[in-house]
Amino acid sequence: MTDSRPLYRPGARVAAAYFLACAGRITRLLNEDIGPSIAFLGVSWANVAHLAGGGDAPPVPDEARAPVTVYRLADNLGMPYETARRYATRLVEAGLCTRSEAGLVIPDAVLTRPDFRALVRETWEATAALRNDLLALGVALPEPAGPPTDEDRRWVARLSTDYFLRYLGYVTEALEADPITALVFLSVYDVNARPVREQPEISLTLPAPDAVRPDALREPASIYRVAKTLRLPYETARRHARRLIKDGWCETAPDGGLIVPGASLLRPVMAHAAELSWRAALQFLASAADRGLGAAP
């Protein structure tokens, strides 16, 4: 069921930080930059998306995973075919993905490695923290269904991947860009939002808690910081940032850093993407509650 509540900007800022943290966890685990990491997530979710609607949480053996072609992966992620093919090849060569005539699969032998099990635990803890942060902001969320199983925790990690990809897709479409440009945009936005997110009392100076902040309250993001966050080469991050400036989505602050100005956030296409992303966050947390997120240990 889709949650139809309107955008609540304080909550959306917290959800955006969760989104960027998801990117950080997967790039660190794979020891890759954000491009192949997105491809990994795209394959992983495409393999199990057809099973996500079930009420129980059985393990997913390899034979139950749906292979995804490079063409479909590229279409799902909004990236050129050759880019997706190059990323897929890197994943296969790294032993993270198998390839057959039917398509690409992330096998269970990879997903049950100790480092991936640790990722599931980290994702569960981060998602529980997101839930608690939103509850503290007064956002109404469903009560948990009951104590979670280990497989429930794995499903919440999968659902987190779905949320990440949906969020990224909405922003990519709004920018009429590729997903790497969208991630640079979101990384800049996340840095800009830190003063208000970390010092909630700043919101008291706004006309309303849900108002768009004045640009003077945005912390500028250096290209170096964005590149480090996304594990991108500096020149790659700079190229995507220049596109965002050229298209009017970002501006250069007096100190040389980047901001996403309030006017960009209020553009109809970006406002719509923000609404969809917020609803996706609420839907994700509702599904996670069905898997026991928030239940007493």
Side-chain angles (χ1 to χ4, degrees):
M1 181 182 297
T2 301
D3 195 305
S4 60
R5 278 178 282 178
L7 175 66
Y8 179 55
R9 292 191 184 277
R13 294 181 197 118
V14 173
Y18 175 89
F19 171 90
L20 264 296
C22 289
R25 284 192 292 273
I26 194 64
T27 55
R28 287 193 300 272
L29 175 62
L30 301 183
N31 194 29
E32 284 279 7
D33 68 43
I34 195 63
S37 301
I38 294 171
F40 180 90
L41 294 176
V43 174
S44 178
W45 177 246
N47 291 165
V48 300
H50 62 293
L51 302 172
D56 56 359
V60 182
D62 288 348
E63 57 270 21
R65 300 177 191 273
V68 60
T69 65
V70 174
Y71 177 84
R72 177 57 62 85
L73 177 66
D75 186 59
N76 288 349
L77 297 178
M79 63 176 55
Y81 173 86
E82 282 303 318
T83 301
R85 187 186 64 79
R86 186 172 70 251
Y87 291 158
T89 298
R90 283 170 64 169
L91 295 174
V92 172
E93 291 176 347
L96 294 165
C97 181
T98 62
R99 179 163 44 198
S100 68
E101 290 185 1
L104 304 164
V105 170
I106 309 293
D108 199 53
V110 169
L111 296 171
T112 55
R113 286 175 4 189
D115 51 352
F116 278 89
R117 289 186 181 275
L119 177 67
V120 169
R121 291 193 297 273
E122 291 173 16
T123 301
W124 179 268
E125 292 167 1
T127 308
L130 171 63
R131 173 186 169 87
N132 290 337
D133 287 345
L134 292 181
L135 288 172
L137 287 171
V139 177
L141 297 172
E143 290 297 317
T149 65
D150 287 345
E151 193 59 27
D152 283 321
R153 293 182 175 88
R154 289 185 70 180
W155 263 108
V156 167
R158 294 173 186 134
L159 294 168
S160 177
T161 295
D162 175 45
Y163 166 63
F164 177 91
L165 295 172
R166 290 167 65 190
Y167 193 139
L168 181 59
Y170 297 143
V171 177
T172 298
E173 184 176 354
L175 295 173
E176 297 184 344
D178 60 86
I180 306 302
T181 302
L183 276 158
V184 169
F185 174 88
L186 288 166
S187 183
V188 172
Y189 168 82
D190 181 60
V191 173
N192 293 170
R194 286 183 186 181
V196 173
R197 195 172 59 241
E198 296 177 0
Q199 303 174 61
E201 63 273 14
I202 292 177
S203 294
L204 299 177
T205 67
L206 303 179
D210 201 23
V212 173
R213 292 159 295 138
D215 292 345
L217 293 179
R218 302 180 193 279
E219 178 183 335
S222 69
I223 294 177
Y224 173 80
R225 187 173 186 176
V226 170
K228 185 176 180 181
T229 296
L230 300 176
R231 295 177 66 103
L232 288 172
Y234 177 86
E235 284 302 317
T236 300
R238 187 174 70 87
R239 184 175 71 252
H240 288 282
R242 288 178 66 182
R243 174 176 178 176
L244 289 166
I245 293 170
K246 177 178 177 292
D247 292 346
W249 289 108
C250 287
E251 294 178 357
T252 304
D255 69 354
L258 299 174
I259 66 166
V260 176
S264 292
L265 299 176
L266 293 173
R267 287 197 206 180
V269 290
M270 189 55 68
H272 182 60
E275 289 274 2
L276 293 175
S277 300
W278 175 238
R279 292 172 188 171
L282 296 174
Q283 183 180 356
F284 162 49
L285 288 171
S287 297
D290 287 343
R291 302 289 184 181
L293 185 79

